[in-house]
């Protein structure tokens, strides 16, 4: 035992009057410029992107085989050329329009299915059964069947997108509804809410973190499925989507253009994830303190 | 005047609980929470249900709230049998998560006022701000619940309940999850709010001092299953400390009589 642990006898009482908060104003710890820059998530991610691009450029230059692996520079060159000619823009817009149609239809189906599932017991069984059956089934495996049913065109692709979105969104929404706290449910019923108003005004906002997760997973599934399906055939005879652009350029051995097509797929994915979903999150679940 | 103690011409008690037996099912058992409990609540009563855990007081409150039906007996509010939850019996829960996290303090108080088109937006807003001012939260009207402390959240819940001017306000151990200092402050605030509007309140607690402080009338329940042990008057606000201690002792001996008789003391 050290001396400092021994309690001295006869310690005096200490009484103090606290100073009013107005007297000393705001006390703040100043951040250095470096801390301020590294605190921005976008900056950190941008640095990582630059490093990855540099690694790509160095490796491809070292390999020196533009047919197998073009450099970052020539990919960007093809990307800019594609954009300037307008070809990549129209292909992207074609793909995105099909995506939006399929995504919206998938969410609508999921909404109906979950609504049935939370209001009736047999509906719950149906949802559980269907999800466990169809969720593991890759959407692209349904494409041959879709081609027979809906022909060579938009219809088939929308069908497989619906399949890829529906189960992920329905499953997440349903488990979100189930995890809504009992207190909030009782509060909603205390207000006299029942049926659809109860679902819309209490259950959906309360389950929004899970619903948002479902929407994000659903979007990623839909985008993947779309590009894969487009690789098989163009959306309609004249103008295909991004997948078709990649496939065509591969046939013509325009490998930098193939990479530019893949690059566009990635960029669109990054924008939707980091701009649209991030904004949606900041305006809802983060603002409400339901997610950090 | 929009006072919360209207009786709409109904003669007799505001709330009648007659021989109510409540049961609920768990996985393996059928639990009887209360057995033939009866009491009457009159206008402007501060009626307290007091008992140890397992006496079915919260279940009883849920039944008054309309969340469950008695297997025997009936509950009548202004002569009407209670069948389902409704805004004429606003509840204040123990849990802090009873506020809707996606709405600000003001919107939380406004929400029940607006549902079913009871009030226009403007009128609801005015009423909400009036009651938020009563619980001293005007500065936080536009804050989201997750930024508030536990005591502030409970105050918002009380403001929300009172703003609806319900026939009876049901409070399920609303201060139990608060620290001791905040709890005392909230008890004083509730009493001064009551002095202002004299609303009728049914209050559930397991704390004897809280029951004496909050209640004007106290119902003592024995546990497993809950049965009425006594219904007594509490003390008025000016009662001195020795009277409070005496009543506390009396209630304590009534509630725990069995254990004393059978015990080693």
């Amino acid at each position: 035992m050290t001396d400092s642990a021994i309690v001295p006898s006869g310690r005096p009482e200490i009484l103090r009057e606290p100073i009013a908060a107005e007297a000393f104003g705001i006390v703040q710890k100043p951040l250095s410029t470096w801390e301020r820059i590294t605190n921005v998530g976008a900056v950190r991610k941008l640095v990582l992107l630059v490093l990855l691009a540099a690694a790509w450029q160095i490796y491809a230059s070292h390999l020196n085989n533009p047919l197998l692996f073009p450099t970052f520079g020539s990919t960007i060159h093809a990307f800019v050329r594609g954009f300037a000619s307008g070809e990549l823009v129209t292909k992207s817009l074609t793909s995105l329009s099909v995506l939006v149609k399929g995504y919206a239809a998938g969410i609508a189906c999921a909404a109906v299915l979950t609504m049935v599932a939370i209001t009736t017991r047999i509906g719950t069984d149906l949802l559980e059964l269907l999800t466990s059956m169809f969720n593991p089934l890759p959407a692209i495996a349904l494409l041959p069947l879709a081609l027979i049913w809906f022909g060579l065109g938009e219809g088939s692709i929308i069908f497989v997108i619906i399949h890829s979105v529906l189960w992920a969104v329905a499953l997440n929404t349903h488990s979100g509804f189930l995890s809504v706290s009992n207190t909030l449910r009782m509060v909603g019923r205390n207000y006299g809410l029942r049926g659809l108003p109860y679902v819309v005004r209490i259950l959906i906002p309360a389950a929004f973190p899970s619903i948002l997760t479902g929407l994000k997973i659903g979007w990623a599934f839909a985008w993947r499925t779309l590009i894969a399906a487009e690789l098989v055939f163009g959306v309609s005879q004249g103008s295909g989507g991004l997948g078709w652009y990649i496939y065509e350029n591969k046939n013509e051995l325009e490998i930098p253009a193939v990479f530019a097509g893949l690059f566009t797929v990635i960029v669109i994915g990054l924008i939707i994830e980091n701009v649209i979903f991030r904004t949606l999150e900041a305006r809802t679940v983060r603002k409400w303190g339901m997610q950090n | 005047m929009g006072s919360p103690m209207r009786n709409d011409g109904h003669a007799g008690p505001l709330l009648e609980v007659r021989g109510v037996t409540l049961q609920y099912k768990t996985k393996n058992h059928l639990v009887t929470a209360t057995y033939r409990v009866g009491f009457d609540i009159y206008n402007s009563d501060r009626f307290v249900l007091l008992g140890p855990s397992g006496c079915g007081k919260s279940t009883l409150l849920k039944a008054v709230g309309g969340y469950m039906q008695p297997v025997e007996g009936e509950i009548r509010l202004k002569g009407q049998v209670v069948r389902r939850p409704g805004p004429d019996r606003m509840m204040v829960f123990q849990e802090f998560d009873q506020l809707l996290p996606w709405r600000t303090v003001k919107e939380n108080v406004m929400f029940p006022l607006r549902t079913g088109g009871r009030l226009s937006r403007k009128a609801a807003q005015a009423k909400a701000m009036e009651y938020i001012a009563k619980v001293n939260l005007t500065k936080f009207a536009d804050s989201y619940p997750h930024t508030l402390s536990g005591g502030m959240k409970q105050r918002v819940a009380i403001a929300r309940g009172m703003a609806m001017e319900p026939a009876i306000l049901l409070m399920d151990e609303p201060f139990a999850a608060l620290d001791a200092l905040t709890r005392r402050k909230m008890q004083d605030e509730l009493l001064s709010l009551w002095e202002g509007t004299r609303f009728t309140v049914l209050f559930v607690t397991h704390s004897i001092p809280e029951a004496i402080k909050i209640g004007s009338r106290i119902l003592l329940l024995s546990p497993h299953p809950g049965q009425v042990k006594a219904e007594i008057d509490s003390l008025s606000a000016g009662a001195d400390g020795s009277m409070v201690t005496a009543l506390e002792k009396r209630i304590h001996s009534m509630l725990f009589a069995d254990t004393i008789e059978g015990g080693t003391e």
Side-chain angles (χ1 to χ4, degrees), chain A residues 181-187 189-194 201-203 205-207 286-290, chain B residues 62 67 84-87 89-91 93 95 97-102 111-112 115 118 144 146 160:
Chain A
S181 88
N182 206 23
T183 317
L184 277 186
R185 287 168 195 274
M186 285 172 80
V187 166
R189 290 173 58 205
N190 196 187
Y191 293 172
L193 292 174
R194 276 184 296 163
R201 308 187 69 169
I202 302 290
L203 287 187
R286 276 168 204 251
K287 189 164 117 186
W288 305 334
M290 296 164 101
Chain B
K62 282 200 181 89
Y67 293 102
R84 62 169 74 100
R89 285 153 284 134
M90 286 297 284
M91 279 194 79
F93 298 89
E95 293 83 6
D97 71 344
Q98 63 184 300
L99 302 178
L100 311 179
W102 56 95
F111 186 70
T115 48
R118 273 181 278 266
Y144 282 91
H146 72 103
R160 174 173 73 181

Side-chain angles (χ1 to χ4, degrees), chain B residues 46 83 108 139 209:
Chain B
R46 284 171 284 131
R83 291 189 198 286
N108 256 293
K139 252 169 63 185

Side-chain angles (χ1 to χ4, degrees), chain B residues 25-26 35 47 49-50 69 94 123 131 145 161 184 188 193:
Chain B
K25 266 183 239 161
T26 63
Y35 183 71
F47 201 95
L49 300 180
L50 173 67
Q69 292 296 318
Q94 178 184 343
Y131 279 94
R184 278 184 62 173
D188 292 333
L193 282 172

Side-chain angles (χ1 to χ4, degrees), chain A residues 235-260:
Chain A
V235 166
S236 55
Q237 285 68 29
S239 65
L242 274 173
W244 189 242
Y245 177 86
I246 294 168
Y247 189 72
E248 265 185 336
N249 279 299
K250 187 222 91 180
N251 284 349
E252 289 160 22
L253 286 183
E254 283 283 344
I255 303 305
V258 171
F259 271 69

